[in-house]
Amino acid sequence: MKKLVLLAGVIAAGLMGLNLTPARAYVIDGSVLDWGIDLSSANSKGYLDSHLPSGGLDTDTVTEDNADKYHKWTEVGPGWAYYNYFDAEAIYFDNDQSYAYIAIVQGLPISGYKVNGYPRFYPGDIGLDLNHDGVYEYGLDVREYDAADKKAKLFNNLTASNWQDVYYPAFSIANPWEIKSGSTFNWVDFVYSENQNSHYVLEAAIPLSYLGLSADPGAAISPLTVHWTMQCGNDYLNLPADVNPVPEPGSLVLLVTGLFGLAGFLAKTGLPAGRQV
């Protein structure tokens, strides 16, 4: 019995020195395979419309795949897409206990759409509206990110005046597209992928604490809106999403509790003669 109590004590002491923070739900690498999406298969119109992510705890999704690499001009709303450019195809959102995860699939390279070799229209920044008033008080700076360290600036305390409207006033429904000013920010993990079968992925992991949110057990569900468009405003997506509470991992804690409980039970009841534990 003394050995059992000693074993429980050793495990408990070991747990105190372990990092019990669970692994992230998604790898921020610009691939959406861990979301259950294979962009190498996205060869036909309608692929993302019918393909929901298989990963995650309670994934929120919006898709609108109205263009592909085979159709020169396709209406996407409010404007038009040239092949796959200017097509905002999908936004995925999920969270674990510590992070909010965002993945956006669209058709613009980070250098923008080029006319006669010159960049014309650029991809926009990611907006987060937590107050549900149409103002994105958080914004993730997409084009000015640190590609070497895979980091981007998450601005907070933004107002409507901190955002830039899209190029075409007729497409104002797509507003806003870019953070034009801001001074308060945190660095977060972010990747803008290379070309994946005429698609590009914007993927981020944002600490919930940076958003003033919690996914602790018993916390209230926190709704938010994720917004993305491009400079021209030809297409845009808004995703109503929820940050859901997540139970803490407890398997190791339960193991130690069980060992101490067993030791206590044996101490109380005793063992048959001649047996030692």
Side-chain angles (χ1 to χ4, degrees):
M1 183 174 65
K2 291 181 179 179
K3 293 180 180 179
L4 185 57
V5 174
L6 178 61
L7 175 60
V10 169
I11 294 177
L15 288 175
M16 293 177 66
L18 289 177
N19 179 7
L20 296 181
T21 302
R24 287 188 181 181
Y26 299 92
V27 178
I28 307 305
D29 57 1
S31 168
V32 284
L33 284 173
D34 50 353
W35 294 82
I37 308 299
D38 181 6
L39 292 179
S40 66
S41 300
N43 290 320
S44 61
K45 184 176 179 179
Y47 173 83
L48 288 173
D49 275 336
S50 59
H51 198 87
L52 297 178
S54 60
L57 303 170
D58 188 11
T59 309
D60 296 300
T61 306
V62 61
T63 62
E64 182 226 74
D65 193 17
N66 292 335
D68 59 51
K69 64 181 182 180
Y70 299 109
H71 295 75
K72 187 171 183 179
W73 286 104
T74 305
E75 187 172 9
V76 291
W80 293 76
Y82 181 77
Y83 291 114
N84 214 49
Y85 300 109
F86 316 131
D87 186 17
E89 298 191 3
I91 299 179
Y92 307 115
F93 179 90
D94 204 352
N95 73 276
D96 57 22
Q97 193 170 39
S98 301
Y99 290 89
Y101 301 94
I102 299 171
I104 299 175
V105 181
Q106 50 85 38
L108 275 176
I110 194 169
S111 58
Y113 173 68
K114 294 183 178 181
V115 178
N116 298 324
Y118 294 95
R120 180 64 185 272
F121 294 122
Y122 291 100
D125 296 329
I126 300 171
L128 298 174
D129 177 10
L130 276 65
N131 291 329
H132 318 296
D133 56 3
V135 176
Y136 298 93
E137 62 269 25
Y138 293 90
L140 190 61
D141 193 337
V142 166
R143 286 187 296 114
E144 301 298 327
Y145 88 106
D146 186 334
D149 288 340
K150 299 181 179 179
K151 299 284 186 180
K153 292 179 179 179
L154 176 74
F155 286 89
N156 53 31
N157 299 323
L158 299 178
T159 66
S161 63
N162 294 118
W163 288 91
Q164 180 71 40
D165 288 347
V166 298
Y167 182 81
Y168 294 111
F171 298 163
S172 61
I173 192 174
N175 286 333
W177 85 275
E178 183 185 45
I179 304 165
K180 64 180 180 180
S181 63
S183 58
T184 307
F185 65 87
N186 290 292
W187 289 97
V188 302
D189 293 339
F190 176 78
V191 166
Y192 200 119
S193 78
E194 299 294 327
N195 189 334
Q196 300 181 58
N197 196 14
S198 78
H199 294 76
Y200 298 85
V201 175
L202 288 63
E203 191 173 27
I206 303 173
L208 291 174
S209 60
Y210 289 1
L211 303 174
L213 301 177
S214 172
D216 290 340
I221 295 175
S222 301
L224 56 84
T225 299
V226 184
H227 169 82
W228 187 85
T229 188
M230 65 283 293
Q231 183 177 6
C232 56
N234 281 40
D235 200 13
Y236 74 99
L237 285 176
N238 290 331
L239 171 63
D242 292 316
V243 173
N244 294 289
V246 179
E248 295 186 28
S251 56
L252 291 177
V253 176
L254 289 175
L255 172 61
V256 173
T257 303
L259 286 173
F260 275 116
L262 178 59
F265 173 78
L266 293 176
K268 182 178 180 180
T269 61
L271 291 172
R275 294 288 302 278
Q276 292 183 351
V277 176

